[in-house]
Amino acid sequence: MSEITDSNFEKASVRDTAFRVRMRRFFGVLQRLTSNPTTVVGLVLIALMLAMAIFAPWITEANTPDAYQMPRDWGAVRKPPGTPGHWLGTTNEGGDVFYGVIWGSRTSLQLSLYVVGSTMVIGTIIGSVAGLVGGWVDEVLMRIVDVFLSIPELIFALAIAAVLGPSFTNIIIALAMVIWVKYARIMRAQVIQIKQNDYVDAARVIGDSKLNIYLKDILPNAVTPVTVQATLDMGNVVLIGATLSFIGLSEAGIAEWGVLVSEGQAGIASGRWWASTFPGLMIFLWALAFNLVGDGLRDALDPRTEGR
Amino acid sequence: MNSAPKPESATSEVLLSISDVQKYYPIREGALQRVAGHVRAVDGVSFDIRRGETVGLVGESGCGKTTLGRVVSGLTDATGGAVHYNLDGTLSQIDHLQDLQARQFRRNCQMVFQDSFASLNPRHLVLDIVGRPLRVYNEASSGDLVERVVELLEQVGLGRQHLYRYPHQFSGGQRQRISIARALALNPEIIVLDEPTSALDVSVQAQILNLLNDLQAERNLAYLFVTHDLSVVRHMADRLVVMYLGKVCEAGETQSIFAAPHHPYTRALMAAKPDLDDDRAGENVKGLDGIVPDPARPPQGCRFHTRCEMATPVCGWEVDDVVRWLEDEPGMFEHLSGVERQSEFNAELAFDSEEAAAKLSMAIRSESVPAAMKSALKRLKLDGHKVDIEFEAVDEVQLTARDGGRLASCVLDPDEVAAKSQ
Amino acid sequence: MLDATQASENVASVRDLKVHFQSKRGVVHAVDGVSFDIQDGETLGLVGETGCGKSVTGRSFLRLLPVPPGILAGGAVSFRPHGPCTACEGAGCEACAKTGRRASGDQPVDLLSISLQDMRRIRGDRIAMIFQDPGKALNPTLTIGAQMSEVFLQHRTAELLDRAGLPPDTAGAVRRFAAQEPRFGDGLILKFPPKRGQRAKLQVALNQMVTEALAETQVPNPAKLMDRFPHELSGGMRQRVMIAQALACNPDLLIADEPTTALDVTVEARILELIRALQQRRKTSVLYISHDLSLVRRICDRVAVMYAGRIVEIGTTEDVFANPRHPYTRGLMAAVPTAGTARGKLAAIRGTVPELVDPPLECRFAGRCPYETATCRQNDPSLQPVSGGHSVACFIDHPTGSQDAPSFDRVTE
């Protein structure tokens, strides 16, 4: 029943332009995305947390000289939530939990953007090369990928971070080294599948250049699963990063949720639950939000639901 | 491979010439991916396409027709042989062309694919798809482009209102029109049509075939029409090339082949699908037994002899035929323990018991074996649990020239073929 | 081609069948008021183009439609299963083609309203179906023998016990095995004597029945074929297995949904020959669904032409092909290239199939029909007889009385 006649295009008119049609398609995806309630919940959460990160200096005054260092109020240690000036309480070392929660969102955003951004580019390039060139190049690249994939993510990242020494930058490097293989894998599979399509052959028959065929035919059709994976990883990266920080592979005293949980855990046994709970909750919400949106995106971009 | 004769044609008007083209795909085995053999998808095919004519390339699945179409359009490189293209009066080999000439060939040889959905990029608008060849060759400035595309769309029966739509918004027939418009954009001299209508309904197929004919008349296009559908090819093609298992088994003028097929395979193809207005439909329909043999080990002699109902003793009977026959015989193949070949025609079949070996040597003389195979048998010696079999060695059956510019590769002459099929 | 005595009996009749599909754009009337009979022992061809509803009609016999999005919007498919032959009481005689069964006065059942349990009993036993793609219809993880056995285990328990030399009232684990209703622990019981011997006997009988069924479709060496997996077979061979499986239980009705479309023509011819021979020998009725006119002409006794969810013409093959009365049937036949057609002069039907979302009250073919007049846009033609057994839904043969009724003489183009 896929027969389409002109009657379906009452909305479309002769005055259409390519731009308008493409915008319509984009809004179609957006509409499908927002028609799913759980995705909307995820989007709202992400928007709130992004706002938190962006407006951090206006919400709480930045610490000097380094805003990413927790301010220490040695006069008010182990204060419970509700204490004036420390709405979410303080840690054993007088760190303000509220400050940590707000500025921690900035740290997390940086972490996930750096890691996901760099790995997506590296993975896409390597995966494309493997898929396009094939032969022994493919073989060598994929064996390397297999080696990386054979070690559990967290343990591998932990080992790298441990070798590099405790610092936030090293966590970013460690995570990037672990995660790029996923994108390489996905991209290679996509490229191999798409380059067999007749429309790629059709472009070759026209005589278009290889670069053009890659950029126009292969890449745009291959990026959907990469985009979905990237969204999911925006959340997962923060989760793993926090784990590494918790173990102590990050610099002590920075405003980072994992570090804060670690700082507060000593007090949990004595009933001082707040120092670990609030940053822990933020990690949970961050990961949840991106996973919800990632799943929604997967459905919205599914070609089987698109356009029909 | 001695070069096979070609259908006669005056060189002056030859547009594209295929000579002894082979395309082998390696079969790799084991951990080291050693090449264990080759699938001979196309195995020495020669014919010419003249300016403005339609050559039909017919055969069933796996005969190599699609592969050959891809070789002609330059999508796949041939393993052996060559495709020559007429560039400004001289025939040049297409995989040796340099810059400007390569571009010239590329522009002049276009292709339309079977699956109209897969051959259009789902993320591109019709404007992008049809306009793309023009952009690649800087044929049209951006302002000019829309008008040029509309012109092309109108030639294939679409219009301006279709410019800004995606492929999935069209029906199968309309999508095939878009493919045709794209192929026409560079004003080519030849279009390879790979089963352009097999996915369409008959009423839509009729529209597309009419369109292709109109365009050919207008632009003096040459078509290489690849299809499995004889009724379509009879309607469309001036000349016909029938392929079976990588080789041409018959070629010539379409009308003359349909009037009197010289090869039993061509005859079988025609008999399998009678015309809609054929009054004898219903009674005279015949099919073929067995399956198409493995193209990695094509049969000796005539490749069709394993399924041919008029096979003779000189058609190339070989050891494989005995093994194939054994497979279909209840309670025999299980006892076969080994085949020791001296050649394709001579081997020792070892069985796990003397009883089974004796049973084979009895059975092979019985009625259940084709008479031609029995006559071709030179030696059959029972030796304990082994059977030594030797057939008359036969060369590959070549295409030979027949009357009226026809070619066929059959040991029988046309009258015999006609007589045997009664 | 039919015996006059049998022609009167219908094995199935479809009345005003309506199948709709819910889609984003609205309700698609995929099948919209289809009525026809399948006479006992005949082959009825159902032809039409993509999306005309022919497959949906065929599938609704066995309720093999996805619901939702499918909606059975109305109508009935009544099926009259064969009863024991009255002449020989099941022993097998000439009148019942040695099957021991023939069309009888049994009360017909409505396939659309019976319980799912009753439906299962009919599926594969009384009504069998073969599909276009035998590769998809066969289970890739089971050997041919194993999947063929299932049919017998499911529907032929009594015969199986009889063949194995076991009393028909065998109970317990062996019976449950034979009826394919295993219970926890049965596997263990069947592994040890005394049940073990009985099980072995059953297996021998089962293999025998499978071999016989396969041999009937002329596959070479059926015993060997039983150990093969579907992917090891060629398309033609798979379709033979499908046919063997479908005909294993002597169904009263076989629904063939484009069974040869995926095959090469030379193989197709053999499969058709086989279906035809088996059908004539067993007097099974066949509903043959296809888009291929020349094929339908070759093997069918009667033909129904479908267009846009309706039957537009139905009659004997000779009548329909020699004297097509509906412009669509004519158009379809003219669109097939034949020896006489001049190059580039194929009579294509203009336009495309209409949307079936809430179709307006007019002839569905209006807009594509060369004989169309205003009448066709105002009224919806129904299927009316033009001569004995030949009916057509067109105003050319059934004018409404208004002045501008269409006619074949008056071409508007």
Side-chain angles (χ1 to χ4, degrees):
Chain A
M1 260 43 40
S2 60
E3 219 57 53
I4 309 282
T5 55
D6 286 349
S7 61
N8 288 75
F9 291 92
E10 282 146 21
K11 278 186 289 179
S13 70
V14 185
R15 278 169 284 122
D16 259 339
T17 63
F19 177 73
R20 275 201 219 168
V21 175
R22 290 205 178 92
M23 286 311 285
R24 244 203 322 266
R25 187 177 204 165
F26 173 74
F27 282 119
V29 172
L30 217 58
Q31 199 190 339
R32 273 201 298 282
L33 197 62
T34 50
S35 65
N36 185 347
T38 55
T39 313
V40 175
V41 170
L43 283 172
V44 169
L45 279 175
I46 289 176
L48 285 176
M49 286 185 292
L50 282 183
M52 211 154 116
I54 293 165
F55 299 112
W58 288 274
I59 300 171
T60 61
E61 198 184 327
N63 194 16
T64 46
D66 183 359
Y68 293 99
Q69 283 290 333
M70 290 287 283
R72 299 292 173 193
D73 182 357
W74 294 105
V77 292
R78 302 178 189 173
K79 286 278 181 278
T83 312
H86 304 290
W87 296 111
L88 296 181
T90 56
T91 64
N92 282 356
E93 281 107 63
D96 182 20
V97 177
F98 184 67
Y99 188 91
V101 164
I102 299 294
W103 283 84
S105 65
R106 272 205 167 188
T107 337
S108 297
L109 187 64
Q110 277 177 9
L111 175 72
S112 42
L113 280 182
Y114 284 141
V115 171
V116 173
S118 61
T119 52
M120 215 169 106
V121 172
I122 295 170
T124 303
I125 292 172
I126 290 178
S128 299
V129 169
L132 287 174
V133 179
W136 65 266
V137 175
D138 179 28
E139 205 63 33
V140 168
L141 287 174
M142 282 305 116
R143 288 300 83 78
I144 295 173
V145 167
D146 284 347
V147 169
F148 275 75
L149 280 174
S150 62
I151 308 167
E153 246 173 42
L154 181 62
I155 295 178
F156 196 19
L158 205 143
I160 297 170
V163 169
L164 295 174
S167 93
F168 188 66
T169 323
N170 288 348
I171 289 186
I172 294 179
I173 295 172
L175 282 173
M177 284 178 74
V178 174
I179 286 178
W180 70 271
V181 288
K182 271 200 255 175
Y183 295 98
R185 254 267 147 98
I186 296 172
M187 198 60 198
R188 172 181 174 269
Q190 283 285 308
V191 168
I192 287 178
Q193 191 203 333
I194 287 164
K195 77 173 181 183
Q196 285 167 349
N197 266 321
D198 280 349
Y199 58 80
V200 174
D201 281 340
R204 288 175 60 203
V205 171
I206 290 168
D208 214 341
S209 67
K210 281 183 178 157
L211 182 68
N212 249 339
I213 292 175
Y214 174 70
L215 291 178
K216 281 186 174 177
D217 294 312
I218 296 174
L219 195 60
N221 285 297
V223 290
T224 304
V226 174
T227 319
V228 172
Q229 185 62 45
T231 314
L232 296 173
D233 277 346
M234 286 289 287
N236 300 341
V237 159
V238 168
L239 208 57
I240 303 174
T243 313
L244 297 181
S245 305
F246 177 79
I247 304 171
L249 290 170
S250 191
E251 293 136 66
I254 63 165
E256 206 273 348
W257 294 335
V259 175
L260 230 62
V261 172
S262 161
E263 213 176 295
Q265 57 127 359
I268 293 180
S270 351
R272 295 189 299 276
W273 51 271
W274 55 88
S276 287
T277 306
F278 291 113
L281 192 68
M282 288 309 297
I283 297 171
F284 165 73
L285 287 178
W286 183 279
L288 177 77
F290 279 101
N291 273 287
L292 289 179
V293 174
D295 281 342
L297 206 57
R298 190 192 338 247
D299 296 339
L301 292 174
D302 188 344
R304 275 168 299 185
T305 62
E306 202 173 334
R308 293 265 160 172
Chain B
M1 185 85 355
N2 44 356
S3 76
K6 287 184 183 185
E8 286 170 35
S9 52
T11 340
S12 62
E13 51 175 359
V14 169
L15 185 62
L16 189 134
S17 168
I18 298 162
S19 32
D20 198 26
V21 163
Q22 295 159 357
K23 179 66 194 177
Y24 291 1
Y25 291 100
I27 307 168
R28 293 179 194 276
E29 267 177 12
L32 293 173
Q33 297 287 292
R34 270 185 318 125
V35 176
H38 286 94
V39 172
R40 305 177 182 191
V42 179
D43 200 5
V45 172
S46 306
F47 60 88
D48 291 343
I49 302 171
R50 295 171 227 162
R51 200 176 288 279
E53 80 166 345
T54 304
V55 174
L57 190 58
V58 268
E60 293 179 297
S61 52
C63 74
K65 58 184 192 299
T66 297
T67 310
L68 186 60
R70 290 175 62 90
V71 170
V72 169
S73 65
L75 278 175
T76 310
D77 288 334
T79 320
V83 180
H84 293 272
Y85 191 80
N86 186 341
L87 290 170
D88 309 322
T90 51
L91 284 175
S92 324
Q93 197 170 334
I94 59 166
D95 40 5
H96 292 173
L97 295 176
Q98 295 301 318
D99 312 328
L100 209 68
Q101 287 198 309
R103 272 170 86 89
Q104 203 184 340
F105 166 70
R106 219 12 333 134
R107 297 185 55 148
N108 277 319
C109 179
Q110 291 296 312
M111 187 159 176
V112 173
F113 298 84
Q114 172 178 3
D115 185 344
S116 64
F117 196 70
S119 64
L120 304 175
N121 188 334
R123 287 175 194 276
H124 286 186
L125 296 170
V126 172
L127 173 68
D128 302 330
I129 292 168
V130 179
R132 187 161 176 188
L134 300 173
R135 282 202 183 119
V136 170
Y137 293 91
N138 294 323
E139 285 264 306
S141 60
S142 51
D144 211 17
L145 188 74
V146 174
E147 291 317 307
R148 291 285 300 274
V149 171
V150 169
E151 210 174 285
L152 285 163
L153 287 177
E154 277 165 1
Q155 285 192 30
V156 296
L158 297 171
R160 192 179 289 273
Q161 70 275 24
H162 299 107
L163 270 179
Y164 301 107
R165 293 189 194 170
Y166 289 103
H168 67 78
Q169 296 172 308
F170 293 93
S171 69
Q174 287 173 320
R175 279 201 293 270
Q176 209 54 290
R177 286 171 192 270
I178 296 170
S179 278
I180 294 169
R182 170 174 63 189
L184 290 176
L186 294 170
N187 215 352
E189 293 173 329
I190 178 168
I191 301 181
V192 176
L193 304 162
D194 185 8
E195 307 250 15
T197 60
S198 2
L200 304 176
D201 281 321
V202 277
S203 66
V204 183
Q205 166 176 291
Q207 295 171 356
I208 299 290
L209 294 182
N210 284 346
L211 172 68
L212 288 170
N213 269 318
D214 294 345
L215 291 170
Q216 181 169 43
E218 266 167 45
R219 297 165 166 247
N220 198 29
L221 279 165
Y223 290 144
L224 177 61
F225 202 110
V226 180
T227 182
H228 69 275
D229 191 329
L230 280 177
S231 67
V232 167
V233 93
R234 176 179 51 195
H235 179 74
M236 294 293 291
D238 301 305
R239 288 188 305 131
L240 207 58
V241 176
V242 185
M243 279 181 78
Y244 182 75
L245 213 57
K247 273 199 165 305
V248 175
C249 61
E250 182 154 11
E253 300 284 332
T254 308
Q255 296 313 325
S256 119
I257 289 183
F258 272 89
H262 288 180
H263 197 284
Y265 178 64
T266 319
R267 193 165 275 278
L269 271 182
M270 289 175 186
K273 199 88 187 178
D275 255 357
L276 190 59
D277 56 4
D278 188 347
D279 289 333
R280 290 173 301 126
E283 299 117 55
N284 211 13
V285 179
K286 281 183 201 158
L288 288 175
D289 274 331
I291 53 166
V292 180
D294 182 4
R297 289 179 57 82
Q300 301 295 309
C302 170
R303 294 195 173 182
F304 185 56
H305 79 258
T306 59
R307 301 170 78 197
C308 184
E309 55 173 13
M310 44 188 91
T312 69
V314 294
C315 285
W317 298 96
E318 57 183 311
V319 177
D320 276 358
D321 290 317
V322 178
V323 178
R324 262 193 286 266
W325 174 77
L326 271 177
E327 275 184 41
D328 292 347
E329 208 57 20
M332 297 281 269
F333 193 66
E334 294 77 27
H335 299 291
L336 184 67
S337 55
V339 180
E340 202 176 304
R341 287 168 210 269
Q342 272 76 52
S343 74
E344 301 295 343
F345 301 100
N346 183 5
E348 235 177 29
L349 304 181
F351 288 86
D352 53 13
S353 69
E354 296 191 8
E355 223 176 299
K359 202 170 148 201
L360 168 72
S361 66
M362 289 295 288
I364 219 158
R365 292 190 178 92
S366 74
E367 284 300 301
S368 61
V369 171
M373 185 162 136
K374 266 188 286 182
S375 327
L377 205 57
K378 204 160 100 185
R379 190 178 65 219
L380 177 74
K381 218 172 74 198
L382 180 61
D383 177 20
H385 63 98
K386 288 180 174 172
V387 182
D388 187 14
I389 290 180
E390 188 175 357
F391 285 99
E392 210 70 65
V394 171
D395 285 333
E396 189 155 15
V397 178
Q398 299 292 338
L399 270 180
T400 49
R402 312 284 173 104
D403 293 343
R406 296 270 296 273
L407 290 173
S409 64
C410 185
V411 295
L412 297 170
D413 64 49
D415 300 337
E416 284 177 295
V417 174
K420 281 203 180 192
S421 64
Q422 291 310 308
Chain C
M1 282 184 231
L2 283 171
D3 286 359
T5 49
Q6 285 183 333
S8 54
E9 290 279 1
N10 293 333
V11 68
S13 32
V14 178
R15 284 290 165 270
D16 202 28
L17 178 69
K18 284 182 180 153
V19 184
H20 298 172
F21 285 90
Q22 189 67 51
S23 82
K24 268 187 201 163
R25 295 198 299 270
V27 177
V28 178
H29 294 233
V31 175
D32 204 13
V34 160
S35 303
F36 61 89
D37 297 325
I38 304 174
Q39 293 164 6
D40 197 38
E42 79 164 345
T43 304
L44 175 68
L46 199 55
V47 276
E49 296 183 295
T50 314
C52 71
K54 57 187 191 302
S55 274
V56 175
T57 306
R59 282 173 170 260
S60 45
F61 273 79
L62 290 175
R63 295 228 300 264
L64 291 175
L65 295 167
V67 179
I71 306 157
L72 278 169
V77 179
S78 70
F79 171 66
R80 190 196 301 261
H82 288 186
C85 176
T86 43
C88 58
E89 285 171 351
C93 63
E94 286 304 311
C96 56
K98 301 234 161 45
T99 56
R101 300 165 61 82
R102 69 191 298 189
S104 63
D106 271 9
Q107 277 309 303
V109 288
D110 181 7
L111 295 174
L112 300 185
S113 59
I114 55 172
S115 71
L116 206 58
Q117 209 172 4
D118 289 341
M119 190 73 223
R120 279 208 200 97
R121 222 168 289 145
I122 286 176
R123 275 183 198 161
D125 186 35
R126 299 322 332 141
I127 303 178
M129 188 155 182
I130 48 180
F131 299 91
Q132 175 174 349
D133 190 345
K136 280 185 192 151
L138 292 170
N139 183 340
T141 62
L142 289 179
T143 60
I144 299 300
Q147 15 204 327
M148 290 285 298
S149 305
E150 280 183 8
V151 188
F152 293 106
L153 291 170
Q154 197 90 49
H155 298 294
R156 284 287 173 273
T157 316
E159 199 184 330
L160 193 59
L161 290 172
D162 185 43
R163 278 214 186 194
L166 301 171
D169 53 352
T170 307
V174 176
R175 176 160 201 112
R176 287 200 295 274
F177 168 73
Q180 232 194 9
E181 293 158 351
R183 223 183 271 165
F184 180 73
D186 277 3
L188 209 59
I189 297 172
L190 292 170
K191 275 215 174 86
F192 295 100
K195 300 294 182 197
R196 191 181 166 171
Q198 296 186 346
R199 205 216 117 131
K201 274 187 203 163
L202 266 181
Q203 193 62 52
V204 170
L206 195 55
N207 286 352
Q208 216 176 356
M209 286 169 92
V210 171
T211 317
E212 279 169 22
L214 283 172
E216 237 189 305
T217 56
Q218 298 156 17
V219 295
N221 205 351
K224 186 165 168 257
L225 188 72
M226 283 175 61
D227 301 328
R228 297 276 196 97
F229 285 95
H231 69 264
E232 297 175 300
L233 308 178
S234 68
M237 203 59 89
R238 275 186 228 149
Q239 200 55 278
R240 278 172 201 263
V241 171
M242 281 288 296
I243 293 169
Q245 200 171 24
L247 296 180
C249 292
N250 260 320
D252 305 327
L253 176 61
L254 175 69
I255 297 165
D257 188 357
E258 307 237 15
T260 61
T261 308
L263 304 177
D264 281 330
V265 280
T266 54
V267 180
E268 171 181 75
R270 275 288 144 98
I271 297 287
L272 289 177
E273 205 174 284
L274 175 72
I275 293 177
R276 190 77 177 147
L278 288 173
Q279 186 258 336
Q280 281 179 344
R281 191 160 71 229
R282 295 166 174 236
K283 300 278 192 299
T284 306
S285 311
V286 179
L287 177 66
Y288 199 97
I289 300 166
S290 178
H291 70 278
D292 188 333
L293 288 169
S294 77
L295 186 156
V296 163
R297 177 176 187 208
R298 223 189 302 165
I299 68 157
C300 293
D301 302 309
R302 289 198 307 138
V303 185
V305 182
M306 275 191 85
Y307 179 76
R310 292 273 179 84
I311 287 183
V312 295
E313 184 159 8
I314 184 168
T316 63
T317 307
E318 294 94 281
D319 280 347
V320 172
F321 280 88
N323 184 22
R325 298 303 301 170
H326 197 282
Y328 176 67
T329 318
R330 291 190 165 202
L332 214 51
M333 285 166 62
V336 181
T338 59
T341 333
R343 182 89 62 91
K345 295 285 187 292
L346 281 172
I349 303 176
R350 60 186 173 153
T352 49
V353 181
E355 276 291 309
L356 296 176
V357 179
D358 303 319
L361 190 75
E362 61 176 25
C363 177
R364 300 273 162 100
F365 195 51
R368 302 183 75 188
C369 181
Y371 310 106
E372 178 196 330
T373 63
T375 306
C376 307
R377 289 284 191 182
Q378 288 148 12
N379 305 286
D380 194 1
S382 60
L383 206 56
Q384 301 285 337
V386 278
S387 65
H390 189 178
S391 303
V392 64
C394 179
F395 295 119
I396 291 175
D397 283 297
H398 309 291
T400 50
S402 68
Q403 284 301 305
D404 67 346
S407 88
F408 284 134
D409 311 324
R410 230 187 70 190
V411 182
T412 51
E413 275 188 333

